[in-house]
Amino acid sequence: MKRIIYIPFDHLHRNYGALKDANPKEDVIAFVESARMITGRAWHKERLFFLISSARHFAKSLEDEGFTVEYIKAPTTIDGLDEINKKYKKLPIVCAEPSSFRAFNDLKTHGVTFIDNDFFLTPRALFNQWASEQKSYLMENFYRKQRTRLNILMEGKDPVGGAWNFDKENRLPPPKKYDGPKYLEHTRDEIDKQVAKELGHTPTTTWATTRKGALAQLKNFIDNHFADFGPLEDAMTTDNWALHHSLLSPYLNNGLLHPTELIHAAMKAFKTGKVPIESAEGFIRQVIGWREYVNGMYWFLGADYRNNNQLSATGPLLPLFRDPSTTKMNCMKQTVSDINDRAWVHHIPRLMLLSNLALITGTNPQEFLDWMREVFIDASEWVMVPNVIGMGVHADGGQMMTKPYAAGGAYISRMSNYCKGCAYNPKLRVGDDACPFTTLYWDFLDRHKEAFAKNHRMSQQVFGLKRLSDLPELKQRAQELLEGLQKGTI
Ligand code: SF4
């Protein structure tokens, strides 16, 4: 044997990372299931189940291929690698660059040799070069450059369909009573059952834990959902928990699928003429634009970026995030219950409900970030740090986004059917029936009006404060709401 190849739980692909040139006669494959990974935080058990069972299935597939696989449990990853090192004395350890600063430093200190991380389409050096040439890091600019560089949805120098984005077409509210095609259910095998037993968890049938299952999920999306994905991608409804979202991010983020595979499948379907450009573009944007941009920004902005708190938000995490029975806000009750059920909701509830509420209530960004990391099935550190600190709660002073994503109840009312069954009224900003989002949105603007008035993208919103004749009453209601949300009475 010549080397030990260490496979983190988010590098589960045979053709990428350190495995792409691996040879069963020369390489020992190492997996470490660390106790810190399992008990270090209040992780959602569905998330742990998915990550661990996927890794064990993947390890088994390598064994079946003839590899010597060391899959061990240890207090930490480094303890585990030490143990494997003792068994295979003098063999060097190789790994594709890990996906977080902490893993990078721990493994480097341990003497692990890195090869390039090719689980993304954009090498880190290339992204750094782009970012260092920008005045502001607009995702849209990066995305257009990606489309051109990768030659996806392009006709020469021009975008297919005559436009770079179809955001206007892709903002439809949910139709009345919506029951789209069913999503796949995944049966559980012996490995799954063993992991579930060890975790004391009853898993859903929502998430696949094998490459085969992940490919089936991709096929199901392309065949049954892709064409309708775009127009309804921002809608939220109690009738249908996923609408036409792909549900592929967990597999992209743990390596069971590679972005290239999604792009090939999507472009093949688009070329049949059955998928409209707004759906094709909306999906491609997520895969080659947003996902790559967020990963690039994570590394570009550095390890300290996650500690930003430029709006000096010090409130503790609201109880409703951990227990939806502590709120009467229908949108939040639904969303947190959905997360409890399957560790997933799509990007709009994440941004416009969860993050928006944390933002306008002045919740401490790091407490909120920790919670987001713990509860979502696809919540890698590199995903959540820029998405929460930069986009969600604007804690970076606008380094990533030019303005905060703060919104009142009117947006939620337009894009969902949540308000119909709610104790509150999205149109009211004062009084006992006032929607907490609406009241707290104005209160948030008022609290930060001096800072925001200097931002030309916010000045109009701040100017709107002047038209509020009931501001003193609103401020008092906001105080009641902030206290009530902490007590679990709102
Ligand atoms: Fe949410 Fe306000 Fe609508 Fe209730 S009224 S569902 S709190 S946005």
PDB file of all heavy atoms in Angstrom, residues 329-332 409 412-413 418-419 422 424-426 435-437, ligand 1:
ATOM      1  N   MET A 329     -47.778  32.786  15.105  1.00  0.00           N
ATOM      2  CA  MET A 329     -47.492  33.256  13.730  1.00  0.00           C
ATOM      3  C   MET A 329     -47.560  32.040  12.805  1.00  0.00           C
ATOM      4  O   MET A 329     -46.689  31.167  12.861  1.00  0.00           O
ATOM      5  CB  MET A 329     -46.096  33.888  13.655  1.00  0.00           C
ATOM      6  CG  MET A 329     -45.925  35.109  14.536  1.00  0.00           C
ATOM      7  SD  MET A 329     -44.180  35.587  14.680  1.00  0.00           S
ATOM      8  CE  MET A 329     -43.884  36.310  13.062  1.00  0.00           C
ATOM      9  N   ASN A 330     -48.557  32.004  11.956  1.00  0.00           N
ATOM     10  CA  ASN A 330     -48.781  30.794  11.163  1.00  0.00           C
ATOM     11  C   ASN A 330     -47.594  30.457  10.255  1.00  0.00           C
ATOM     12  O   ASN A 330     -47.213  29.290  10.123  1.00  0.00           O
ATOM     13  CB  ASN A 330     -50.057  30.960  10.327  1.00  0.00           C
ATOM     14  CG  ASN A 330     -50.591  29.630   9.849  1.00  0.00           C
ATOM     15  OD1 ASN A 330     -50.471  28.629  10.556  1.00  0.00           O
ATOM     16  ND2 ASN A 330     -51.130  29.599   8.656  1.00  0.00           N
ATOM     17  N   CYS A 331     -47.014  31.483   9.647  1.00  0.00           N
ATOM     18  CA  CYS A 331     -45.892  31.242   8.723  1.00  0.00           C
ATOM     19  C   CYS A 331     -44.724  30.583   9.453  1.00  0.00           C
ATOM     20  O   CYS A 331     -44.090  29.650   8.938  1.00  0.00           O
ATOM     21  CB  CYS A 331     -45.450  32.541   8.067  1.00  0.00           C
ATOM     22  SG  CYS A 331     -45.118  33.873   9.238  1.00  0.00           S
ATOM     23  N   MET A 332     -44.431  31.057  10.661  1.00  0.00           N
ATOM     24  CA  MET A 332     -43.289  30.515  11.403  1.00  0.00           C
ATOM     25  C   MET A 332     -43.603  29.126  11.959  1.00  0.00           C
ATOM     26  O   MET A 332     -42.758  28.231  11.933  1.00  0.00           O
ATOM     27  CB  MET A 332     -42.902  31.462  12.548  1.00  0.00           C
ATOM     28  CG  MET A 332     -42.411  32.805  12.086  1.00  0.00           C
ATOM     29  SD  MET A 332     -41.026  32.717  10.907  1.00  0.00           S
ATOM     30  CE  MET A 332     -39.741  32.001  11.900  1.00  0.00           C
ATOM     31  N   GLY A 409     -45.078  41.875   6.477  1.00  0.00           N
ATOM     32  CA  GLY A 409     -46.038  40.814   6.185  1.00  0.00           C
ATOM     33  C   GLY A 409     -46.586  40.851   4.766  1.00  0.00           C
ATOM     34  O   GLY A 409     -47.052  39.826   4.260  1.00  0.00           O
ATOM     35  N   ILE A 412     -44.918  38.309   2.531  1.00  0.00           N
ATOM     36  CA  ILE A 412     -45.261  36.921   2.890  1.00  0.00           C
ATOM     37  C   ILE A 412     -46.712  36.622   2.469  1.00  0.00           C
ATOM     38  O   ILE A 412     -47.018  35.544   1.955  1.00  0.00           O
ATOM     39  CB  ILE A 412     -45.043  36.699   4.404  1.00  0.00           C
ATOM     40  CG1 ILE A 412     -43.564  36.935   4.733  1.00  0.00           C
ATOM     41  CG2 ILE A 412     -45.472  35.290   4.829  1.00  0.00           C
ATOM     42  CD1 ILE A 412     -43.280  37.225   6.194  1.00  0.00           C
ATOM     43  N   SER A 413     -47.559  37.621   2.646  1.00  0.00           N
ATOM     44  CA  SER A 413     -48.961  37.456   2.249  1.00  0.00           C
ATOM     45  C   SER A 413     -49.082  37.241   0.737  1.00  0.00           C
ATOM     46  O   SER A 413     -49.883  36.417   0.265  1.00  0.00           O
ATOM     47  CB  SER A 413     -49.731  38.703   2.686  1.00  0.00           C
ATOM     48  OG  SER A 413     -51.030  38.660   2.214  1.00  0.00           O
ATOM     49  N   TYR A 418     -50.041  31.467   3.902  1.00  0.00           N
ATOM     50  CA  TYR A 418     -49.934  31.368   5.362  1.00  0.00           C
ATOM     51  C   TYR A 418     -50.843  32.335   6.108  1.00  0.00           C
ATOM     52  O   TYR A 418     -51.358  32.017   7.179  1.00  0.00           O
ATOM     53  CB  TYR A 418     -48.491  31.637   5.809  1.00  0.00           C
ATOM     54  CG  TYR A 418     -47.493  30.589   5.381  1.00  0.00           C
ATOM     55  CD1 TYR A 418     -46.206  30.949   5.006  1.00  0.00           C
ATOM     56  CD2 TYR A 418     -47.834  29.233   5.384  1.00  0.00           C
ATOM     57  CE1 TYR A 418     -45.278  29.990   4.618  1.00  0.00           C
ATOM     58  CE2 TYR A 418     -46.907  28.275   4.994  1.00  0.00           C
ATOM     59  CZ  TYR A 418     -45.641  28.659   4.614  1.00  0.00           C
ATOM     60  OH  TYR A 418     -44.727  27.715   4.230  1.00  0.00           O
ATOM     61  N   CYS A 419     -51.026  33.533   5.545  1.00  0.00           N
ATOM     62  CA  CYS A 419     -51.693  34.587   6.329  1.00  0.00           C
ATOM     63  C   CYS A 419     -53.180  34.292   6.549  1.00  0.00           C
ATOM     64  O   CYS A 419     -53.765  34.775   7.521  1.00  0.00           O
ATOM     65  CB  CYS A 419     -51.507  35.941   5.655  1.00  0.00           C
ATOM     66  SG  CYS A 419     -49.763  36.390   5.529  1.00  0.00           S
ATOM     67  N   CYS A 422     -53.887  32.747   9.920  1.00  0.00           N
ATOM     68  CA  CYS A 422     -53.048  33.298  10.988  1.00  0.00           C
ATOM     69  C   CYS A 422     -53.847  34.137  11.979  1.00  0.00           C
ATOM     70  O   CYS A 422     -54.868  34.741  11.639  1.00  0.00           O
ATOM     71  CB  CYS A 422     -51.956  34.161  10.372  1.00  0.00           C
ATOM     72  SG  CYS A 422     -50.748  34.727  11.591  1.00  0.00           S
ATOM     73  N   TYR A 424     -52.783  36.831  13.066  1.00  0.00           N
ATOM     74  CA  TYR A 424     -52.403  38.231  12.822  1.00  0.00           C
ATOM     75  C   TYR A 424     -52.795  38.663  11.410  1.00  0.00           C
ATOM     76  O   TYR A 424     -53.067  37.832  10.547  1.00  0.00           O
ATOM     77  CB  TYR A 424     -50.899  38.410  13.038  1.00  0.00           C
ATOM     78  CG  TYR A 424     -50.476  38.028  14.431  1.00  0.00           C
ATOM     79  CD1 TYR A 424     -49.767  36.843  14.665  1.00  0.00           C
ATOM     80  CD2 TYR A 424     -50.825  38.819  15.511  1.00  0.00           C
ATOM     81  CE1 TYR A 424     -49.410  36.475  15.951  1.00  0.00           C
ATOM     82  CE2 TYR A 424     -50.467  38.452  16.807  1.00  0.00           C
ATOM     83  CZ  TYR A 424     -49.756  37.276  17.016  1.00  0.00           C
ATOM     84  OH  TYR A 424     -49.410  36.915  18.282  1.00  0.00           O
ATOM     85  N   ASN A 425     -52.770  39.989  11.212  1.00  0.00           N
ATOM     86  CA  ASN A 425     -53.185  40.574   9.934  1.00  0.00           C
ATOM     87  C   ASN A 425     -51.978  41.262   9.284  1.00  0.00           C
ATOM     88  O   ASN A 425     -51.442  42.221   9.853  1.00  0.00           O
ATOM     89  CB  ASN A 425     -54.309  41.578  10.202  1.00  0.00           C
ATOM     90  CG  ASN A 425     -54.829  42.204   8.927  1.00  0.00           C
ATOM     91  OD1 ASN A 425     -54.158  42.192   7.891  1.00  0.00           O
ATOM     92  ND2 ASN A 425     -56.026  42.753   8.998  1.00  0.00           N
ATOM     93  N   PRO A 426     -51.549  40.774   8.106  1.00  0.00           N
ATOM     94  CA  PRO A 426     -50.323  41.321   7.515  1.00  0.00           C
ATOM     95  C   PRO A 426     -50.419  42.810   7.170  1.00  0.00           C
ATOM     96  O   PRO A 426     -49.404  43.483   6.999  1.00  0.00           O
ATOM     97  CB  PRO A 426     -50.134  40.484   6.240  1.00  0.00           C
ATOM     98  CG  PRO A 426     -51.474  39.920   5.930  1.00  0.00           C
ATOM     99  CD  PRO A 426     -52.173  39.754   7.245  1.00  0.00           C
ATOM    100  N   CYS A 435     -49.501  42.211  12.350  1.00  0.00           N
ATOM    101  CA  CYS A 435     -48.540  41.149  11.997  1.00  0.00           C
ATOM    102  C   CYS A 435     -47.163  41.512  12.557  1.00  0.00           C
ATOM    103  O   CYS A 435     -46.649  42.600  12.297  1.00  0.00           O
ATOM    104  CB  CYS A 435     -48.478  41.035  10.473  1.00  0.00           C
ATOM    105  SG  CYS A 435     -47.058  40.088   9.905  1.00  0.00           S
ATOM    106  N   PRO A 436     -46.559  40.606  13.309  1.00  0.00           N
ATOM    107  CA  PRO A 436     -45.234  40.908  13.866  1.00  0.00           C
ATOM    108  C   PRO A 436     -44.209  41.290  12.800  1.00  0.00           C
ATOM    109  O   PRO A 436     -43.359  42.147  13.033  1.00  0.00           O
ATOM    110  CB  PRO A 436     -44.852  39.602  14.575  1.00  0.00           C
ATOM    111  CG  PRO A 436     -46.160  38.965  14.915  1.00  0.00           C
ATOM    112  CD  PRO A 436     -47.082  39.311  13.791  1.00  0.00           C
ATOM    113  N   PHE A 437     -44.287  40.663  11.633  1.00  0.00           N
ATOM    114  CA  PHE A 437     -43.335  41.018  10.580  1.00  0.00           C
ATOM    115  C   PHE A 437     -43.499  42.484  10.176  1.00  0.00           C
ATOM    116  O   PHE A 437     -42.519  43.197   9.987  1.00  0.00           O
ATOM    117  CB  PHE A 437     -43.525  40.124   9.344  1.00  0.00           C
ATOM    118  CG  PHE A 437     -42.738  38.849   9.411  1.00  0.00           C
ATOM    119  CD1 PHE A 437     -43.370  37.636   9.670  1.00  0.00           C
ATOM    120  CD2 PHE A 437     -41.365  38.854   9.230  1.00  0.00           C
ATOM    121  CE1 PHE A 437     -42.640  36.456   9.741  1.00  0.00           C
ATOM    122  CE2 PHE A 437     -40.625  37.672   9.295  1.00  0.00           C
ATOM    123  CZ  PHE A 437     -41.264  36.476   9.549  1.00  0.00           C
TER     124      PHE A 437
HETATM  125 FE1  SF4 B   1     -46.852  35.445   9.112  1.00  0.00          FE
HETATM  126 FE2  SF4 B   1     -47.821  37.896   9.587  1.00  0.00          FE
HETATM  127 FE3  SF4 B   1     -48.883  36.375   7.661  1.00  0.00          FE
HETATM  128 FE4  SF4 B   1     -49.236  35.743  10.222  1.00  0.00          FE
HETATM  129  S1  SF4 B   1     -49.987  37.576   9.202  1.00  0.00           S
HETATM  130  S2  SF4 B   1     -48.721  34.343   8.557  1.00  0.00           S
HETATM  131  S3  SF4 B   1     -47.297  36.360  11.120  1.00  0.00           S
HETATM  132  S4  SF4 B   1     -46.814  37.182   7.714  1.00  0.00           S
END
